[in-house]
Amino acid sequence: MKVAVIGGGSTYTPELVSGLSRERERLPVSELVLQDIDASRRSVVGEMAGRMLERDGFSGRLTVTGDLDRALDGADFVVVQIRVGGQAARLRDETVPLRCGCIGQETTGAGGFAKAMRTVPVVLSLAERARQLGDPWIVDFTNPVGIVTRALLDDGHRAVGLCNVAIGIQREIARRLGVEPGRIRVDQVGLNHLTWVRAVWLDGEDVLDRVLSDFGDELAAMQELPPRLLHELHAIPSYYLRYFYAEADVLGEQLSGEPPRAQVVADIERELLELYRDPSLDEKPALLEQRGGAFYSEAATELIASLAAGSGDVQVVDVRNEGTLEGLAADDVVEVPARIGAGGPEPVEQKPLAPELLGLAQHVAAYERLTAEAAVTRDSVTARKALLTNPLVREYAKVDELVDELLAEQPEAVTR
């Protein structure tokens, strides 16, 4: 089995390598390829990965390369974890919207739109090359996952989107209940970065009421939302929903002068890369937990192993709706529990979303549809419609300014 990681110079990579090593009995990888366009990063991260694999007794081959074809040729699975434009682009995504009175965030709102416009064409290009060299499963961890996965599926690729939010809340609930994570399954439903946990299954019994009663206040505090909201919704919102449920508060915090998350992450990445240069380091450092993406390795390796074996276990992934969530279009990409077989994920049947959840999901789904189209067609009118539809933008005066500002340094992004 050959696994190719595109964006292998990411500081996330040791997290993924750790997971692949841990699951080597279930996931017999004969070749792991780390591909990255940044020679310095791929060298540092590649050497770090090599030490980790050697420590764990990896019997396969590790290839570190800048050659995309070398990575894709014959790959069974292609993991995409790229950041087009790097942290500098992320910083613009998080700061430019603030000048227009909008939240700045890299995956949702206007910042997520800008990132999608940069990212979708690049991912589609590499996916097309992968199709020419074989027919791998493409596992997309590149944000905005819902929009990128939609573009991949629209283009006919065997693709599934993956996010770490579901496994994160699963592990948190298991910790609070004092049980092994494998005994917990969360019914997290909605769109990527716009999800709600509507059931928590412990050994087949829904214990959501118990979780909300015993730990609701603490979970709400983690999301920086009032406990009453969780009880009234009778669901646990993803922490990304704070951007919608407390928009004014978030905007005020971002305008207060605190360093943007992009700047914090850039500092963490520099420190991580310096740590990775230590020839004695052969395990992921604790600092990596501050980078974000907790439990990414577990989610990714579980998904790849289940696709390879056709195990049929249930995992939360991003797939076509196909009637799973009533009120959303069949071709919308939703984030829901799905049975992972060799033929791909099959969504688990879901009850309809409550009106207070469905309304927001429909709104964001319409925005994602328009953004995916604009990223491919490069049409300025479609781009403006996408931002007008975005719940965190909405106003036409802001739309004009944002389109000009966000795309000013990437004129190829829109045909004007």
Side-chain angles (χ1 to χ4, degrees), residues 193-274:
H193 289 185
L194 195 91
T195 50
W196 301 265
V197 172
R198 300 189 300 173
V200 176
W201 301 99
L202 171 59
D203 298 334
E205 177 187 359
D206 185 4
V207 295
L208 177 63
D209 286 340
R210 173 183 166 190
V211 169
L212 289 176
S213 174
D214 293 353
F215 315 117
D217 289 5
E218 292 92 337
L219 292 173
M222 289 175 58
Q223 319 293 43
E224 297 184 73
L225 292 170
R228 177 180 174 183
L229 179 63
L230 276 64
H231 291 284
E232 290 182 346
L233 293 176
H234 197 244
I236 305 170
S238 156
Y239 54 82
Y240 283 95
L241 274 156
R242 184 169 186 261
Y243 295 110
F244 298 90
Y245 291 154
E247 181 182 357
D249 291 343
V250 173
L251 182 59
E253 293 164 5
Q254 292 184 341
L255 291 171
S256 69
E258 290 190 7
R261 175 65 179 167
Q263 183 177 325
V264 174
V265 169
D267 292 340
I268 292 173
E269 286 202 331
R270 278 191 292 271
E271 191 173 347
L272 281 171
L273 289 170
E274 193 59 38

Side-chain angles (χ1 to χ4, degrees), residues 6 68-69 71-78 80 123-138 150-159 320:
I6 309 304
L68 183 63
D69 282 6
L72 297 176
D73 191 17
D76 298 286
F77 296 92
V78 175
V80 184
V123 174
L124 288 182
S125 177
L126 71 86
E128 179 56 33
R129 188 58 181 152
R131 181 158 53 191
Q132 294 167 359
L133 295 170
D135 189 24
W137 272 105
I138 297 177
R150 182 186 185 111
L152 285 165
L153 294 173
D154 286 348
D155 207 33
H157 298 284
R158 289 204 304 166
R320 290 284 197 209

Side-chain angles (χ1 to χ4, degrees), residues 1-132:
M1 182 188 297
K2 177 178 177 179
V3 176
V5 182
I6 309 304
S10 167
T11 53
Y12 277 132
T13 297
E15 172 79 6
L16 180 60
V17 169
S18 175
L20 290 172
S21 297
R22 187 171 51 252
E23 296 291 338
R24 59 184 179 274
E25 291 187 7
R26 294 177 59 219
L27 198 58
V29 177
S30 57
E31 182 178 12
L32 173 63
V33 184
L34 305 181
Q35 186 274 345
D36 203 286
I37 61 174
D38 187 317
S40 175
R41 289 179 70 112
R42 72 171 180 260
S43 174
V44 171
V45 175
E47 290 179 8
M48 171 71 180
R51 294 192 298 270
M52 295 176 68
L53 292 172
E54 183 178 5
R55 180 203 62 189
D56 291 341
F58 178 62
S59 60
R61 176 171 57 180
L62 172 67
T63 301
V64 181
T65 181
D67 186 337
L68 183 63
D69 282 6
R70 171 68 186 84
L72 297 176
D73 191 17
D76 298 286
F77 296 92
V78 175
V79 179
V80 184
Q81 53 173 38
I82 63 174
R83 180 180 293 280
V84 180
Q87 292 297 336
R90 175 178 180 169
L91 184 61
R92 293 189 71 249
D93 294 345
E94 292 181 352
T95 54
V96 168
L98 297 179
R99 299 202 292 266
C100 303
C102 296
I103 284 175
Q105 212 278 328
E106 64 154 345
T107 66
T108 195
F113 164 82
K115 185 171 188 181
M117 294 294 286
R118 284 194 310 274
T119 304
V120 165
V122 176
V123 174
L124 288 182
S125 177
L126 71 86
E128 179 56 33
R129 188 58 181 152
R131 181 158 53 191
Q132 294 167 359

